[in-house]
Amino acid sequence: MKDLQAVYERLSFCFETRKFVDLRIILLDMEPADIAPFIENYLNDKEQVLFFRLLPKELASDVFVEIEADTQETLIKAFSDKELKEVVDDMFLDDTVDVIEEMPANVVKRILKNSAPENRKLINQLLEYPVDSAGSIMTTEYVSLSASLTVEEAFDKIRRTGVNKETVYTCYVTDRRKKLIGVVSVRDMLLSEKTELIAHVMDSNFIFAETLEDREQVALKFSKYGCLALPVIDKEGCLVGIVTVDDAVDVIQEEATEDIQKMSAILPNQKPYLKQSVFSIWKARLPWLLLLMISATFTSLVLSNYEAQLSAVLYAFVPMLMGTAGNAGNQSSATIIRALALGEVEFKDAFRVILKELLASFVLGLTVSAVCFLKLYFIDSLYNDVTLDVALVVSSVLLITVVMAKLVGCLLPLIAKKCKLDPAVVASPFMTTIVDVLSLIIYCSIAITLLG
Amino acid sequence: MKDLQAVYERLSFCFETRKFVDLRIILLDMEPADIAPFIENYLNDKEQVLFFRLLPKELASDVFVEIEADTQETLIKAFSDKELKEVVDDMFLDDTVDVIEEMPANVVKRILKNSAPENRKLINQLLEYPVDSAGSIMTTEYVSLSASLTVEEAFDKIRRTGVNKETVYTCYVTDRRKKLIGVVSVRDMLLSEKTELIAHVMDSNFIFAETLEDREQVALKFSKYGCLALPVIDKEGCLVGIVTVDDAVDVIQEEATEDIQKMSAILPNQKPYLKQSVFSIWKARLPWLLLLMISATFTSLVLSNYEAQLSAVLYAFVPMLMGTAGNAGNQSSATIIRALALGEVEFKDAFRVILKELLASFVLGLTVSAVCFLKLYFIDSLYNDVTLDVALVVSSVLLITVVMAKLVGCLLPLIAKKCKLDPAVVASPFMTTIVDVLSLIIYCSIAITLLG
């Protein structure tokens, strides 16, 4: 990372002093993913366009794909039709679709107008798949082979057509109706006799995805089976595209980020933090913060209901009890949400999950409440009115609330899953409010009954 | 997934009725990653060993790698030395190392004794790298080429040596001292003339990892640059191994799971939820639950300090204020922790982060406290003693606590990062306690000064 900083400074220097030959020499040695941040962070709008025009031809579209949407828009608006066509023609179709999805309508029109006619139809098809489907992340650029070719003929075909294909390492064997009948890796072809038929080298038991399958499920297949690309087929079993492992890696990262955001009461937002405006942060965080604030006033309602009967000593333990219940519930809900996301747990395991959480919460609750009792009776009693009765009541309520919180924490995500809602959204933020109110009611009613 | 269920039932039936020929036919069509769960979940210890012996030879080691550690141990203990040797010889070295890392010492000894002598040394070397380093996830099986070969000669070498190599799609060009001087993809070789020299086809500007680099950083390189394999070099620049994309995908999933666990006050645990014993759940969840419970009693201390002076009406808003502050702080800390993990934010951005969070927290706080005021004054006043003064004080304290909570929430992960501590561990669970105590102190002191 330190080296990159130095490279950026040299780029800046060459650009400002107009040493464009040196600039291009540096750029040729760089990765597109490293050039993009320079354009975004070191140059103003006008400079960005000038700099992009200076990029070596073979790098231009690769760099363009790596740039953030707002900068892409600036560039496209400044491009001539000819420039735009050059960039678009050189991009992989799935990348073009990714760019288009972020652009306003008039820019989309210009991009489509400047795409090759044969691509325009494919792009429109890809744009029609639902946002989170396999279809939306696939590309239609792959090498397809016929089963009757020999290995040598297949290599010739890869050489002829492979330059523009997103991946050439897995080739797809289709019959005359484009039905996918097998998959063959370049590795297996390399290790076979040149005269061997593809039909004998190919694997006809292959993992595949369907066009409308959830992209998160598709990404999980990559991590389960360790593949480099997955064919995507339609309802008739015809090959319509492939998903490559680099896109699966992006999906895995994005889904994990989304789950963390949802579990922290933030609306999902994929933009890098430093690129988010204060307004977009406000928009993403306000709804849940507001909703939780309002629902938290239920606790005030419960408290004011009991306040006349609750002594000051007992009052003082309310935050500790609610906090511990919240933490205990969070542990369970986060565990179950993640296990559901990774496919480790399904709704049919609900009974096993509940049993396990009940047992775990009971031993956890016992340990925590034993420690709590000792602390209350021997330490807190030194500076507070904690009698044996109070210590006993508070620590037994702690046991009950821990068990209750863990039960709520594991039930909510399971119920959400069953109702086909997103466990991360439903379970996490609501869990706290439910657990807070329940633990208050349990505490107040038990304390008042026994000590009131 | 439904299909898989049906396949498992057929497997069970064939196994119980001893139709082993049919069993092997079904197994040959299955993926190793799908066979492993059957062995773990449908068979007892004795059956597992018998079933494993029935596996077609070519599948045995692939299935073994996919099995959970405890079942692997059962199998190894039942294996004869000859059987163990067959499985181990057929495994990739990095997989052997993964297995060894989970086994007790006597099993490790048996595995090493039954490894080929040339592998034993390599395994021992790999075992010496720190757990979270690039060295610990790399394999030493790769294809290395000399720059003076032609493309055709290179293909011959791949054919001769490639069968046991983890990936053949990227070959590594080294000089006589094993120094890595270039990288060449099979794709580029396929698209070049057969007589071209590797020196002219190879790319001498390549992305690499160093042996001691954090494995999470290495995984981020895969997602940033979209590569299939990364060479790992030592301090002298010599090639010592490669990391493949399937291992990077595993690292990304595991690190996300770990961060979610840490942020939810659970000690990291990579075992699938349903395989975790109640005792291991207790062990992972108890430390933070206990620590947070004890530190939460500080809130009781603060409350009992002020209780004489705080009226019952004001008391009732304590949980709502603390809850909202906790939620606000969580939003910030989760955002910054994730941004740090993805490399979107570094410590040098601290100033920008703080400024952005201050601004965002101010507008968020204003909105939330305005809504709170309206709700208190017009709704809560109907059933509670909420006067204009009380509504004003509570809602302005809400503004202050939201800003405070967001500041603490963004500062803690940054400070942890600077001190080379894990932001997820330090920031998330502690944040709540700090924010709870601070918001209580702010509320009580302001309320008592203004209304006391």
Side-chain angles (χ1 to χ4, degrees):
Chain A
M1 292 306 275
K2 276 178 211 149
D3 302 344
L4 210 50
Q5 207 62 39
V7 174
Y8 287 164
E9 274 156 31
R10 271 165 57 213
L11 279 181
S12 273
F13 175 76
C14 293
F15 186 68
E16 278 160 25
T17 54
R18 310 200 140 251
K19 293 191 173 155
F20 295 149
V21 179
D22 294 359
L23 186 78
R24 291 168 71 114
I25 292 173
I26 304 174
L27 286 172
L28 275 174
D29 274 2
M30 288 178 73
E31 293 290 324
D34 288 330
I35 300 175
F38 176 77
I39 298 181
E40 288 159 14
N41 302 327
Y42 286 72
L43 306 173
N44 65 32
D45 284 13
K46 267 195 184 165
E47 289 171 339
Q48 286 175 342
V49 179
L50 173 58
F51 186 90
F52 193 83
R53 289 192 172 126
L54 289 171
L55 283 176
K57 274 262 151 40
E58 57 271 39
L59 276 177
S61 68
D62 290 344
V63 172
F64 188 79
V65 169
E66 299 285 343
I67 292 174
E68 292 291 321
D70 41 357
T71 312
Q72 283 175 340
E73 200 182 326
T74 315
L75 287 174
I76 294 179
K77 282 181 175 159
F79 283 165
S80 69
D81 275 3
K82 185 165 164 277
E83 282 175 318
L84 181 58
K85 191 172 163 40
E86 277 172 8
V87 171
V88 172
D89 278 354
D90 216 29
M91 272 159 62
F92 287 121
L93 277 184
D94 56 340
D95 291 333
T96 314
V97 171
D98 287 347
V99 171
I100 285 180
E101 276 169 347
E102 303 286 325
M103 294 295 137
N106 57 333
V107 177
V108 172
K109 243 186 227 168
R110 269 196 70 203
I111 296 177
L112 286 175
K113 205 185 79 187
N114 288 294
S115 304
E118 67 273 21
N119 286 347
R120 211 172 300 151
K121 208 183 130 207
L122 290 169
I123 293 172
N124 275 317
Q125 268 175 20
L126 288 176
L127 281 171
E128 273 169 28
Y129 292 109
V131 181
D132 278 339
S133 67
S136 74
I137 53 167
M138 76 183 182
T139 178
T140 52
E141 288 152 311
Y142 51 83
V143 180
S144 68
L145 300 173
S146 144
S148 58
L149 294 179
T150 64
V151 167
E152 188 158 30
E153 289 165 341
F155 272 127
D156 282 340
K157 180 159 185 199
I158 295 174
R159 276 196 201 94
R160 275 201 317 276
T161 62
V163 187
N164 295 312
K165 302 301 174 182
E166 172 108 88
T167 174
V168 296
Y169 297 132
T170 316
C171 300
Y172 301 92
V173 189
T174 50
D175 67 10
R176 274 184 219 153
R177 291 173 187 164
K178 285 210 68 178
K179 217 178 137 170
L180 184 63
I181 54 173
V183 161
V184 58
S185 70
V186 165
R187 181 173 185 273
D188 290 337
M189 283 162 58
L190 275 176
L191 302 177
S192 303
E193 289 300 318
K194 288 177 188 170
T195 51
E196 186 70 87
L197 285 183
I198 291 298
H200 299 149
V201 186
M202 74 181 194
D203 185 358
S204 43
N205 282 288
F206 44 83
I207 313 288
F208 59 86
E210 283 166 50
T211 43
L212 295 182
E213 202 171 334
D214 190 311
R215 60 177 205 152
E216 196 173 359
Q217 293 304 319
V218 178
L220 281 182
K221 283 186 182 169
F222 278 89
S223 80
K224 182 171 179 192
Y225 299 110
C227 30
L228 298 181
L230 271 188
V232 182
I233 61 174
D234 63 14
K235 280 180 196 150
E236 281 76 41
C238 294
L239 182 63
V240 288
I242 60 169
V243 175
T244 49
V245 66
D246 53 323
D247 294 318
V249 168
D250 290 345
V251 170
I252 290 174
Q253 291 279 35
E254 284 175 21
E255 294 285 341
T257 303
E258 261 189 45
D259 277 359
I260 290 176
Q261 289 171 334
K262 289 175 193 161
M263 290 162 83
S264 312
I266 306 170
L267 300 185
N269 182 343
Q270 287 297 344
K271 254 194 170 180
Y273 176 73
L274 291 176
K275 306 252 170 210
Q276 290 176 24
S277 67
V278 170
F279 175 68
S280 73
I281 294 180
W282 176 82
K283 236 176 35 184
R285 296 186 189 173
L286 185 65
W288 278 109
L289 201 58
L290 216 50
L291 196 65
L292 290 171
M293 186 273 289
I294 292 174
S295 63
T297 46
F298 284 112
T299 55
S300 321
L301 198 65
V302 176
L303 270 181
S304 42
N305 228 342
Y306 287 105
E307 66 196 343
Q309 305 160 59
L310 216 56
S311 70
V313 188
L314 291 174
Y315 234 113
F317 297 111
V318 166
M320 185 275 284
L321 281 170
M322 281 172 56
T324 307
N327 290 327
N330 245 333
Q331 289 181 329
S332 299
S333 71
T335 304
I336 306 303
I337 289 170
R338 185 64 182 163
L340 285 168
L342 293 179
E344 291 171 3
V345 166
E346 289 169 69
F347 186 76
K348 68 174 170 60
D349 305 313
F351 185 71
R352 282 172 72 191
V353 171
I354 295 169
L355 195 71
K356 191 168 267 196
E357 285 298 314
L358 267 182
L359 276 173
S361 65
F362 190 70
V363 284
L364 267 169
L366 269 185
T367 330
V368 173
S369 78
V371 174
C372 177
F373 175 79
L374 294 175
K375 181 172 177 296
L376 289 181
Y377 192 61
F378 292 105
I379 303 177
D380 291 20
S381 57
L382 300 177
Y383 59 85
N384 209 331
D385 281 345
V386 185
T387 58
L388 178 63
D389 288 352
V390 170
L392 274 175
V393 166
V394 170
S395 50
S396 8
V397 168
L398 191 61
L399 167 61
I400 300 173
T401 53
V402 166
V403 175
M404 175 277 294
K406 290 209 164 286
L407 206 59
V408 173
C410 79
L411 276 175
L412 278 182
L414 287 169
I415 294 171
K417 183 79 182 177
K418 183 69 186 172
C419 305
K420 295 197 192 286
L421 295 168
D422 186 334
V425 172
V426 181
S428 248
F430 274 127
M431 201 271 308
T432 320
T433 308
I434 297 179
V435 164
D436 276 357
V437 172
L438 284 182
S439 54
L440 258 189
I441 295 179
I442 295 173
Y443 180 52
C444 292
S445 51
I446 292 184
I448 290 168
T449 314
L450 294 181
L451 305 173
Chain B
M1 286 309 273
K2 276 178 212 151
D3 302 345
L4 211 50
Q5 207 61 39
V7 174
Y8 287 165
E9 274 156 30
R10 270 167 55 211
L11 279 181
S12 272
F13 175 76
C14 293
F15 185 69
E16 280 160 23
T17 53
R18 310 198 140 250
K19 294 191 172 152
F20 295 148
V21 180
D22 293 358
L23 187 77
R24 291 169 72 116
I25 292 173
I26 303 176
L27 286 171
L28 276 174
D29 273 0
M30 288 179 71
E31 293 290 323
D34 289 330
I35 300 176
F38 177 78
I39 298 181
E40 289 159 13
N41 303 326
Y42 286 72
L43 306 173
N44 66 30
D45 284 13
K46 266 194 185 162
E47 289 171 339
Q48 286 175 341
V49 179
L50 173 58
F51 186 90
F52 193 84
R53 287 188 175 131
L54 289 171
L55 281 178
K57 274 261 150 37
E58 58 273 39
L59 275 178
S61 69
D62 290 342
V63 171
F64 188 80
V65 170
E66 299 286 343
I67 293 175
E68 292 292 323
D70 41 356
T71 312
Q72 283 175 341
E73 201 181 323
T74 315
L75 288 175
I76 294 180
K77 283 180 175 158
F79 284 164
S80 70
D81 275 2
K82 186 165 160 278
E83 281 175 317
L84 181 59
K85 189 170 164 42
E86 276 172 6
V87 171
V88 171
D89 278 353
D90 216 29
M91 272 158 62
F92 287 120
L93 277 185
D94 56 341
D95 290 333
T96 313
V97 172
D98 287 348
V99 172
I100 286 180
E101 276 168 347
E102 303 286 327
M103 295 294 137
N106 57 334
V107 177
V108 171
K109 244 187 225 163
R110 268 197 69 202
I111 296 177
L112 286 175
K113 205 186 79 188
N114 289 294
S115 304
E118 68 273 21
N119 286 348
R120 211 172 300 151
K121 208 183 130 208
L122 289 170
I123 292 172
N124 275 318
Q125 267 174 23
L126 288 176
L127 282 171
E128 273 170 27
Y129 291 108
V131 181
D132 278 339
S133 67
S136 74
I137 54 168
M138 75 183 184
T139 176
T140 50
E141 288 153 311
Y142 50 84
V143 179
S144 68
L145 300 173
S146 142
S148 59
L149 295 178
T150 65
V151 166
E152 187 158 28
E153 289 165 343
F155 273 127
D156 283 341
K157 181 160 184 197
I158 296 175
R159 276 197 200 93
R160 276 201 317 275
T161 62
V163 187
N164 295 313
K165 304 300 174 181
E166 171 107 270
T167 173
V168 297
Y169 297 132
T170 316
C171 301
Y172 301 91
V173 189
T174 50
D175 67 9
R176 272 183 219 152
R177 289 170 187 166
K178 285 210 67 180
K179 216 179 135 164
L180 183 62
I181 54 172
V183 161
V184 58
S185 70
V186 165
R187 181 174 186 272
D188 289 337
M189 283 162 59
L190 275 176
L191 303 177
S192 303
E193 289 299 318
K194 288 178 184 167
T195 51
E196 187 70 270
L197 284 183
I198 291 297
H200 298 150
V201 186
M202 75 182 192
D203 185 357
S204 43
N205 282 288
F206 44 82
I207 313 287
F208 59 88
E210 284 168 49
T211 41
L212 296 181
E213 203 172 333
D214 189 310
R215 60 176 205 153
E216 196 173 0
Q217 294 304 318
V218 178
L220 282 183
K221 284 186 182 171
F222 277 89
S223 80
K224 182 170 179 191
Y225 299 110
C227 29
L228 297 181
L230 270 188
V232 182
I233 61 173
D234 63 14
K235 280 182 196 147
E236 282 75 41
C238 293
L239 182 64
V240 289
I242 61 169
V243 176
T244 49
V245 66
D246 52 322
D247 294 319
V249 168
D250 290 345
V251 169
I252 290 174
Q253 290 280 35
E254 284 175 20
E255 293 285 340
T257 303
E258 261 189 45
D259 276 359
I260 289 175
Q261 289 171 333
K262 289 175 192 161
M263 290 162 82
S264 312
I266 306 170
L267 300 185
N269 183 342
Q270 287 297 344
K271 253 194 172 179
Y273 176 73
L274 291 176
K275 305 251 170 209
Q276 289 176 28
S277 67
V278 170
F279 176 68
S280 74
I281 295 180
W282 176 82
K283 236 177 32 184
R285 296 186 188 174
L286 185 67
W288 277 110
L289 202 58
L290 216 49
L291 195 65
L292 289 172
M293 187 273 288
I294 292 174
S295 65
T297 47
F298 284 112
T299 55
S300 322
L301 199 63
V302 177
L303 269 181
S304 42
N305 228 341
Y306 286 104
E307 66 197 343
Q309 306 159 60
L310 216 53
S311 70
V313 188
L314 290 174
Y315 234 111
F317 297 111
V318 166
M320 186 273 285
L321 281 170
M322 281 171 58
T324 308
N327 290 328
N330 246 331
Q331 289 182 329
S332 299
S333 71
T335 304
I336 306 302
I337 289 169
R338 185 65 182 162
L340 284 168
L342 293 178
E344 291 172 0
V345 165
E346 290 169 66
F347 185 77
K348 70 174 170 57
D349 305 312
F351 184 71
R352 283 172 71 190
V353 171
I354 295 168
L355 195 70
K356 190 167 270 197
E357 285 297 315
L358 267 182
L359 277 172
S361 65
F362 191 69
V363 284
L364 267 169
L366 270 185
T367 331
V368 174
S369 78
V371 175
C372 176
F373 174 79
L374 294 175
K375 181 171 178 298
L376 290 181
Y377 192 60
F378 292 106
I379 302 176
D380 290 20
S381 56
L382 299 176
Y383 60 85
N384 210 329
D385 280 344
V386 184
T387 58
L388 178 63
D389 288 353
V390 169
L392 274 175
V393 166
V394 171
S395 50
S396 6
V397 167
L398 191 61
L399 166 62
I400 300 173
T401 51
V402 166
V403 174
M404 175 278 294
K406 289 210 163 283
L407 205 60
V408 173
C410 78
L411 276 174
L412 279 181
L414 288 170
I415 295 171
K417 183 78 184 180
K418 182 69 187 173
C419 304
K420 297 195 192 286
L421 296 167
D422 187 334
V425 172
V426 179
S428 249
F430 273 129
M431 203 272 307
T432 320
T433 308
I434 298 179
V435 164
D436 276 357
V437 171
L438 283 183
S439 55
L440 256 189
I441 295 180
I442 295 173
Y443 179 54
C444 292
S445 53
I446 292 184
I448 290 167
T449 315
L450 293 182
L451 306 172

